[in-house]
Amino acid sequence: MMWLGRSDTGFWLTAGAPRLHLDVDPDRELRAAALLARVLGAAVHEAHDQDVATLDRWRSKLAGPPSLWAAARALALEVGPEDCIFCTSEAGGLQVAAVCGALPQRPGICVFAHNLDRPRGRAALSLWKAARRVDLFLASSQRQVDFLRGHLGLPSDRVRLVWDHTDTRFFSPEPARRGPRPVIASVGLEQRDYRTLAAATHDLDADVRISG
């Protein structure tokens, strides 16, 4: 199963499901999910139509938003030990580990970690017993790999480094075009201060581009 991490909504890709379920907008992320679903024989579940419970809101104080908790609860009703869930971020992965990982006959769970080495991440990993409930962690940062192995006491075969890459069969850049003004670019949402960037560049003769 794949989680395409977003702040309020997301999509689950369940490997091993008998058919493909897609009822989502045709943007780039969803085309990628649909391709993977067809190759793996998986199912995609949208993560914002579920009813949010009071417990979801309380849990979201540590790791949110509530919609991810509601989605994980709904997912727990559909999966079993024959399923495998792959979460492309801890946003969704922590919720799946806490809810689906607690099932008596739980599915396999793999989480791609981006930035868990922080107070809330450490607390969530401990509180929801991630070391026992997540079968495999992946990360593209050696620092995250070292943190997960050390903090959770996991062996190397359960925390693996995966190099970031671009699949040129799916994406290829257009030829570079030089505009009339210089470009200031920033990528990512974690540990960024875009208010300061906006204040520092508001009167510059330059284009500011942000990719989240």
Side-chain angles (χ1 to χ4, degrees):
M1 185 170 300
M2 173 169 281
W3 170 262
L4 298 176
R6 293 183 174 185
S7 58
D8 295 313
T9 62
F11 306 91
W12 307 96
L13 180 66
T14 312
R19 58 189 180 280
L20 170 68
H21 304 280
L22 273 177
D23 184 18
V24 287
D25 297 329
D27 61 18
R28 181 178 293 273
E29 279 189 351
L30 300 180
R31 290 198 298 273
L35 176 62
L36 285 170
R38 292 189 183 96
V39 171
L40 298 175
V44 177
H45 304 263
E46 199 165 357
H48 67 245
D49 293 332
Q50 297 82 6
D51 293 330
V52 173
T54 301
L55 181 59
D56 300 328
R57 300 186 190 281
W58 279 107
R59 283 171 159 173
S60 71
K61 301 295 184 181
L62 182 59
S67 58
L68 298 189
W69 288 103
R73 286 191 300 103
L75 187 64
L77 300 175
E78 303 182 30
V79 296
E82 72 283 356
D83 292 309
C84 179
I85 305 175
F86 172 50
C87 308
T88 62
S89 171
E90 56 266 24
L94 290 173
Q95 290 79 4
V96 166
V99 179
C100 299
L103 294 172
Q105 297 292 318
R106 71 173 184 84
I109 298 173
C110 174
V111 176
F112 202 113
H114 296 273
N115 186 19
L116 281 168
D117 187 7
R118 48 184 172 175
R120 285 193 178 189
R122 289 171 176 262
L125 289 170
S126 299
L127 179 62
W128 293 311
K129 302 178 177 62
R132 191 171 71 216
R133 295 174 175 175
V134 177
D135 300 282
L136 176 64
F137 282 99
L138 302 174
S140 58
S141 162
Q142 187 63 52
R143 175 176 175 176
Q144 288 298 305
V145 169
D146 294 341
F147 160 71
L148 288 166
R149 288 176 180 171
H151 182 70
L152 298 179
L154 294 175
S156 58
D157 62 343
R158 289 188 57 198
V159 184
R160 297 184 179 179
L161 179 68
V162 179
W163 293 106
D164 252 338
H165 67 281
T166 298
D167 187 346
T168 55
R169 294 170 299 177
F170 176 71
F171 169 81
S172 57
E174 297 177 353
R177 291 175 293 179
R178 189 176 185 85
R181 304 198 303 175
V183 175
I184 299 172
S186 181
V187 178
L189 298 177
E190 292 283 353
Q191 300 181 354
R192 303 293 193 273
D193 183 0
Y194 286 127
R195 291 182 182 274
T196 299
L197 176 63
T201 59
H202 78 280
D203 57 352
L204 295 181
D205 186 25
D207 293 323
V208 179
R209 307 286 175 83
I210 297 173
S211 175

